Amino acid sequence: MTDAPADPTTAHPGAASAPFAVWSNDADARPGTPLLVLLHGYGSHEQDLMGLLPALPPEFSVVSLRAPQPVQAGYQWFPLSGELGFSAEAVVDAVLPVAAWLRERAAEHPSTTLLGFSQGMAMATSLARHMPGEIAAVVGLSGFVVPGEHPAFDDARLRERPLPLFWGRDPQDPVIPPALVDATAEWALEHADAMKVQYTGIGHGIGPQELGHVGEYLRHVVLGARAS
């Protein structure tokens, strides 16, 4: 997707190991609101996904995190090689400080939902695997799940109580390799209560129809569950 200007009211640098964050609202407005965490893609930055705000339910306090490692004109959560090769250990190294940051804020919010684009979807699903039962739902857009198991991931818990997952993608996405798509689908069968939707013509991006579906999903699955 293209960058869009955001108007965050606060920035929270936090500790050295904590992610830099921009928020949709003031600190005094956040307690008691459901939290929606945005995780950008490779080579992007925390402002990018804030352009989605008009399409997201206003009940959420929305925070967008910056990945820790500079790359190209932006940042990466973990290094990628050709054909999107990566190390599971590097993924876990990226997940742990974000998980600690989320847990510090959990007492203020009745739920925590993650929305990740591309590499950010790998982060979002990895966080849910590391924190089973602590994440209300994941929205993954044009991304993938890290294949295989790791001691930091409690997939057994998710097999018992599947993760609510919205997975949107273009079947002709030129960036995510078919092997990662297949691995993601296989993982979702056993570990997620998944809504999988394909959008023709968006490539490796986010489309208007998809954004409408994301808003509906968040209202029904996260806000609806909270109301009941």
Side-chain angles (χ1 to χ4, degrees):
M1 63 177 294
T2 57
D3 292 348
D7 184 24
T9 56
T10 61
H12 177 68
S17 62
F20 183 84
V22 292
W23 292 83
S24 64
N25 55 4
D26 292 319
D28 59 4
R30 298 172 201 156
T33 60
L35 180 63
L36 177 61
V37 183
L38 309 183
L39 301 161
H40 66 74
Y42 178 88
S44 189
H45 52 79
E46 72 283 358
Q47 297 281 9
D48 189 13
L49 293 180
M50 291 298 277
L52 305 182
L53 277 177
L56 303 175
E59 293 89 341
F60 286 95
S61 287
V62 180
V63 59
S64 186
L65 306 185
R66 178 194 295 171
Q69 302 171 7
V71 66
Q72 299 178 358
Y75 300 87
Q76 64 181 3
W77 296 102
F78 48 88
L80 293 175
S81 60
E83 291 297 308
L84 296 195
F86 53 86
S87 158
E89 291 298 333
V91 176
V92 171
D93 287 345
V95 161
L96 295 180
V98 177
W101 189 90
L102 292 174
R103 284 170 170 151
E104 288 176 359
R105 281 144 192 83
E108 288 192 347
H109 303 280
S111 66
T112 298
T113 301
L114 309 177
L115 185 157
F117 173 75
S118 193
Q119 192 184 56
M121 178 179 171
M123 278 293 294
T125 50
S126 295
L127 282 160
R129 297 166 77 180
H130 179 66
M131 308 168 66
E134 299 178 63
I135 302 302
V138 166
V139 173
L141 308 177
S142 299
F144 60 94
V145 172
V146 172
E149 298 186 354
H150 190 280
F153 298 157
D154 193 350
D155 282 354
R157 288 274 303 278
L158 294 181
R159 282 192 289 270
E160 296 171 0
R161 186 177 179 183
L163 170 72
L165 171 67
F166 179 97
W167 180 21
R169 56 179 292 269
D170 186 337
Q172 302 301 317
D173 186 330
V175 172
I176 308 301
L180 279 180
V181 174
D182 292 344
T184 299
E186 291 174 7
W187 182 89
L189 280 175
E190 290 192 13
H191 304 93
D193 179 7
M195 177 179 290
K196 296 178 283 187
V197 188
Q198 295 186 349
Y199 302 91
T200 302
I202 66 171
H204 189 66
I206 301 174
Q209 183 185 33
E210 184 178 28
L211 279 179
H213 290 162
V214 167
E216 292 171 4
Y217 183 85
L218 292 172
R219 290 184 185 93
H220 177 70
V221 173
V222 180
L223 300 180
R226 183 186 175 206
S228 62

